[in-house]
Structures are given as structure tokens and as C-alpha cells.
Amino acid sequence: MEANMFELRGLGGLVILALDLWALISIYNSSATSGKKLLWALLVIILPILGFLIWLVAGPRGTSRRI
């Protein structure tokens, strides 16, 4: 039973890591100022789950490329 709990936590950690990496890449590609990018990145790094959720709702968006 303990092995199943460990596997779920490991998978959850990988999902959180992937979402945080996606957020950091999007922050980097956004048109926000360098200071705002730094603050958003620190929020996502220091508070991985809460920071991601706050970024998802209110964070800077990446620049969209239109043809």
C-alpha cells in the first residue's frame, strides 16, 4: 500500500514540475517588463502550486504569433 502512495506522489510531483516549467517558459516569452517577469518567476519557483495557480489566473501571457 505504501508503494502506491509513493508512486502517486512521484507522479504528482512530475505533473507539478511540468506545469511550472510551462509557466516559466510562458513568463519568459511574455511581453512584460523584466522586473515583472522576475517577480512572476520567483512566485512560481518559491510557491510551486499556489504560484502556478495565481499565474494561470493573473499572469502575463506569451506573445502570440499571427500569420
Side-chain angles (χ1 to χ4, degrees):
M1 180 119 185
E2 287 183 30
N4 290 336
M5 297 278 291
F6 179 73
E7 289 174 13
L8 289 176
R9 284 188 289 178
L11 181 61
L14 286 176
V15 169
I16 292 169
L17 177 63
L19 291 173
D20 284 347
L21 287 174
W22 173 53
L24 290 171
I25 291 169
S26 180
I27 291 167
Y28 178 76
N29 289 329
S30 74
S31 60
T33 64
S34 296
K36 288 182 182 180
K37 287 181 184 183
L38 178 65
L39 291 175
W40 278 112
L42 286 174
L43 180 69
V44 171
I45 291 169
I46 293 171
L47 302 170
I49 298 171
L50 185 60
F52 172 77
L53 292 174
I54 294 170
W55 168 81
L56 192 61
V57 172
R61 300 291 175 236
T63 56
S64 62
R65 297 180 190 189
R66 293 192 174 173
I67 299 174

